[in-house]
Structures are given as C-alpha cells and as structure tokens.
C-alpha cells in the first residue's frame, strides 16, 4: 500500500482508494502496511533543493517586509504568504531524503512511529498550502478594492485589518481539513494482537495502519463527500475565480486613462505593482491548474468507481505537481527583487548593516586580544 494512495501532498488526496483497498484486498486483517516509495529525482534531489532555496529567500522577504519602511497592509499579507509557503514546502519534503537513504527493505515499509510523524507532516503541509491559497485570494481582493474604490478601501484595508485577516485565514485553513489529522490509526506490528494479522507482523517494527474507528459504517462515505465537496468548492473554484477576476480588473484599470493622468513616477510604480501582482497570481493559477484537473479525475473515480488515469502515470504526475508547487513558492522573492526598487534597497541596506556588524565584531576581537 503506497502512500500516494493515502494522501497526496499539497491538495491531492486518494483517501477513497485507500479505504477501498483496505476493505477489498485485505479481508481478514483490518491493518495494512504503511509504505512510501521515494523518487530520487523529484523527492530527493529537486524538491529538497527548491525547498531550501524557498526557506532562505522567504526569510529575506520576512525580514525586509517587517521593516517600518515597507510595512503596509499588502506586505503584511505577503509576510503571511511567505511563512505558509515555506512551511508547506518544508513539511512536504523534509523526510523524503531520510527515507531514501535509510530504507533497508525492498517493500519500502516505514517503521513505527515514523509513519505517524510522516502523516502528520503531510497534513501540516496541506494545511499550510490551503492557507497560501486563501492569502493569495485575499491579496487579489485587497488590490481589486483599492483600484475600484480607492478612498473607501484605504479606510477598510488597514494594517490592523491585514493582521487580523492573516490570523483568521490561518485558523480557517487549518480548521477546514482538521478531520484529516484523525482519519487513520497507526500501530507497531509487534503490538497488533490478532490471529488474522500474522502475515503482517513478520517484522515487529513495521508500521501498520487502518481507518479510524469513527469512520465506521456510513460515516466513511459521508466524510469522503464532505472532503471532495469542500475541496472542490472552497479550495478550487472560489479562490481561482476570485483571483482571476480581481487580476483581470486590476490590469484593465491600470492601463486605462486613469493611469495616464498620473505623474510619470506614479505611473511607473503602478505599472510595476501591476506586473508584480499579475506574476504572483499568474504563477499561482498555472501551478494550481494541474492539481485541479487531477482532483477532478479523483472526484470522478470517487463517484463512479472508474479509473481515468493509470496508477503509474498518476504517481508521476503527483511528483511533478509537487515539485512545481515548491518551485512556485520560490518565485515570489525573485518577483519582488526584480520589480520593487524599495525591496532591493532594503536588501542592500540589510547586507551593508550585516557587513558593518561583522567588521565591528572582528575589530573588537582584535583589540581585545591586543591587550
């Protein structure tokens, strides 16, 4: 039972397939092996490298945007986005290299309790990604309001409002899929006392799992329906519609006659702001679109029981999509760096202060030693 059939990182879930296989392939023992097949290209080399780059660059983003010069209602949202992107990428990929280099069995069965830790990290990654989706949508709403209703929106979208909006989005993002943290139960193979599970306890340290007891009976099907409908409406349709609409309106407004009436400097700043927001939102939509398409295939399989995509192709698409998500997380820093003069200025000042601090500390050490 490969983990790709349990929960696919960053929004792709095959939990219904898991339950079907638990009930269909294993008629006597309610447990099954918890396995994870790791790809050296996508999950050991590429994704961890991009994750490290994302965390490092987003640390710069957080430090720069928290300065008084750049702190604004928009940058507060961007700080929350930098945190959620970094955490999502980290939790989704942190254990893959460890699995690859420490796995000592051909079945790729994880030991207990590492399996439960792995599942917890994957759920945290999905939750943080949900937060990123909502923060991006809120950023689109904020910019749309500022352009459409410039005077009224400036009184509404204050720094305090952005703080509270970020906190609420984090709470909602985690609350929506909080049942996912309780879907499975994990046990050490040696602790499973059942004559029907003798074939699964050959290695005492292997990890076994089963569906949680609260999902017995019709609850399992109802939860599946809740999950798919919530994902479809709340995570896929509404945010994508909001982001697309607000971006189109923003671009059309900034290229209208209102922009030509502004000064040359104001026009240049507004144009760069438009390009920056368009790139952030555009990359988000491009990266999310493949996930939405494959999610539709999963939903079709749940409703009809028909498999549209072969399993090996599905697993490869999952790995590619997860890598693209990590790559999208890393792009925001370079967008800020390329299009924001103030962002580049603050980076230079920060590096200059760091250099001065290092030089001062070195001088103090030399003077102290001379005595």
């Amino acid at each position: 039972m490969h983990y790709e059939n349990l929960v696919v990182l960053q929004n792709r879930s095959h939990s219904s397939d898991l339950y079907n296989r638990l009930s269909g392939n294993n008629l006597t023992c309610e447990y099954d092996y918890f396995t994870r097949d790791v790809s050296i290209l996508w999950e050991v080399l590429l994704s961890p490298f991009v994750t490290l780059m994302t965390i490092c660059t987003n640390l710069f983003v957080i430090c720069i945007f928290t300065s008084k010069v750049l702190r604004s209602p928009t940058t507060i949202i961007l700080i929350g986005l930098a945190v959620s992107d970094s955490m999502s990428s980290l939790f989704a990929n942190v254990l893959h290299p460890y699995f690859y280099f420490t796995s000592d069995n051909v079945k790729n069965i994880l030991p207990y309790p590492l399996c439960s830790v792995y599942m917890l990290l994957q759920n945290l990654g999905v939750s943080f990604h949900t937060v990123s989706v909502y923060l991006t949508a809120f950023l689109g709403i904020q910019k749309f309001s500022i352009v459409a209703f410039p005077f009224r929106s400036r009184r509404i979208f204050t720094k305090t409002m952005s703080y509270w909006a970020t906190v609420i989005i984090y709470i909602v993002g985690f609350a929506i899929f909080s049942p996912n943290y309780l879907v499975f139960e994990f046990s050490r193979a040696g602790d499973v006392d059942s004559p029907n599970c003798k074939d699964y306890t050959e290695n005492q340290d292997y990890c076994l799992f089963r569906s949680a007891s609260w999902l017995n009976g019709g609850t399992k099907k109802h939860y599946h329906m809740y999950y798919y409908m919530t994902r479809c409406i709340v995570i896929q349709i509404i945010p994508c519609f909001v982001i697309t609409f607000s971006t189109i309106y923003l671009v059309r407004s900034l290229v209208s006659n209102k922009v030509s009436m502004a000064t040359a400097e104001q026009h240049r700043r507004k144009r760069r702001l438009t390009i920056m927001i368009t790139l952030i939102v555009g990359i988000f939509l491009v990266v999310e679109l493949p996930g939405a398409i494959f999610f539709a295939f999963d939903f079709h399989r749940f409703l009809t029981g028909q498999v549209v995509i072969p399993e090996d192709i599905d697993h490869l698409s999952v790995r590619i999509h997860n890598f693209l998500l990590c790559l999208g997380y890393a792009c925001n820093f370079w967008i800020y760096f390329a299009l924001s003069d103030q962002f580049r200025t603050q980076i230079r000042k920060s590096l200059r202060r760091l250099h001065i601090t290092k030089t001062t500390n070195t001088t103090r050490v030399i003077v102290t030693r001379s005595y």
Side-chain angles (χ1 to χ4, degrees):
M1 178 72 62
H2 289 288
Y3 179 76
E4 287 87 350
N5 293 322
L6 292 167
V7 172
V8 179
L9 313 187
Q10 312 290 359
N11 288 341
R12 298 276 301 284
S13 174
H14 293 206
S15 55
S16 62
D17 183 52
L18 163 68
Y19 295 125
N20 292 335
R21 295 179 67 174
L22 277 175
S23 60
N25 291 351
N26 183 13
L27 299 178
T28 57
C29 181
E30 68 273 23
Y31 288 94
D32 205 342
Y33 288 130
F34 190 100
T35 66
R36 182 65 168 98
D37 184 18
V38 178
S39 168
I40 184 172
L41 175 62
W42 299 105
E43 296 168 320
V44 178
L45 298 178
L46 295 179
S47 292
F49 172 76
V50 176
T51 296
L52 180 62
M53 182 175 64
T54 299
I55 294 174
C56 293
T57 53
N58 278 336
L59 285 175
F60 263 110
V61 170
I62 295 171
C63 292
I64 298 303
F65 283 159
T66 50
S67 63
K68 292 184 178 180
V69 178
L70 291 179
R71 195 180 306 163
S72 68
T74 299
T75 56
I76 291 172
I77 301 300
L78 294 177
I79 291 171
L81 187 62
V83 173
S84 60
D85 286 350
S86 299
M87 293 298 99
S88 179
S89 185
L90 174 65
F91 289 136
N93 298 286
V94 65
L95 288 180
H96 291 156
Y98 175 80
F99 290 159
Y100 182 82
F101 291 109
T102 61
S103 178
D104 58 354
N105 61 84
V106 295
K107 297 179 180 179
N108 298 313
I109 302 174
L110 299 188
Y112 183 85
L114 190 59
C115 53
S116 58
V117 175
Y118 181 65
M119 177 66 84
L120 173 62
L121 293 180
Q122 301 315 304
N123 284 326
L124 287 173
V126 172
S127 297
F128 275 110
H129 179 71
T130 304
V131 171
S132 295
V133 171
Y134 282 132
L135 286 174
T136 306
F138 183 81
L139 183 65
I141 294 174
Q142 186 184 69
K143 289 304 177 184
F144 160 76
S145 301
I146 291 175
V147 174
F149 314 102
F151 299 104
R152 186 183 304 174
S153 62
R154 293 184 186 279
R155 294 194 299 265
I156 298 175
F157 291 99
T158 61
K159 293 180 184 178
T160 303
M161 195 268 193
S162 293
Y163 281 126
W164 281 108
T166 302
V167 172
I168 293 174
I169 287 174
Y170 267 84
I171 294 175
V172 172
F174 275 80
I176 287 178
F177 296 119
S178 56
N180 279 3
Y181 292 83
L182 305 173
V183 168
F184 303 114
E185 296 177 356
F186 301 91
S187 298
R188 179 174 171 270
D191 296 334
V192 176
D193 185 15
S194 174
N196 296 328
C197 299
K198 289 183 178 179
D199 294 338
Y200 290 85
T201 58
E202 56 185 20
N203 188 308
Q204 300 292 305
D205 294 325
Y206 279 171
C207 180
L208 302 181
F209 74 99
R210 65 180 178 181
S211 59
S213 57
W214 65 273
L215 287 174
N216 292 334
T219 307
K220 185 183 302 184
K221 185 176 181 180
H222 293 156
Y223 173 74
H224 285 162
M225 184 59 67
Y226 159 80
Y227 176 82
Y228 279 109
M229 294 304 298
T230 304
R231 283 300 321 278
C232 180
I233 298 174
V234 180
I235 304 300
Q236 302 290 347
I237 296 177
I238 295 179
C240 289
F241 174 78
V242 170
I243 292 172
T244 302
F245 172 79
S246 58
T247 304
I248 293 174
Y249 184 90
L250 182 62
V251 172
R252 292 186 61 183
S253 299
L254 289 178
V255 298
S256 64
N257 293 331
K258 293 181 180 180
V259 176
S260 61
M261 295 172 59
T263 63
E265 180 64 20
Q266 290 174 337
H267 175 75
R268 187 180 72 87
R269 288 184 178 181
K270 287 184 177 181
R271 184 173 181 80
R272 288 201 171 193
L273 178 61
T274 303
I275 296 174
M276 185 173 70
I277 295 175
T278 303
L279 286 174
I280 293 174
V281 174
I283 291 174
F284 168 81
L285 290 175
V286 169
V287 171
E288 285 296 320
L289 185 60
I293 293 174
F294 281 99
F295 174 78
F297 291 148
D298 289 340
F299 199 7
H300 176 268
R301 178 177 59 174
F302 168 70
L303 294 176
T304 65
Q306 299 177 357
V307 178
V308 179
I309 304 176
E311 186 176 356
D312 54 344
I313 298 178
D314 191 25
H315 291 174
L316 177 61
S317 70
V318 168
R319 291 187 170 108
I320 295 176
H321 181 225
N322 292 336
F323 170 72
L324 292 178
L325 282 171
C326 296
L327 198 62
Y329 294 152
C331 288
N332 288 352
F333 170 84
W334 304 106
I335 295 174
Y336 307 147
F337 185 83
L339 298 175
S340 175
D341 294 333
Q342 289 181 310
F343 187 79
R344 292 195 299 272
T345 300
Q346 290 300 314
I347 287 181
R348 286 195 293 268
K349 289 182 179 179
S350 299
L351 294 176
R352 193 179 300 118
R353 284 196 297 266
L354 182 62
H355 175 70
I356 293 174
T357 303
K358 276 188 172 182
T359 304
T360 303
N361 292 337
T362 304
T363 304
R364 288 176 179 175
V365 171
I366 294 175
V367 172
T368 302
R369 289 178 178 176
S370 65
Y371 282 102

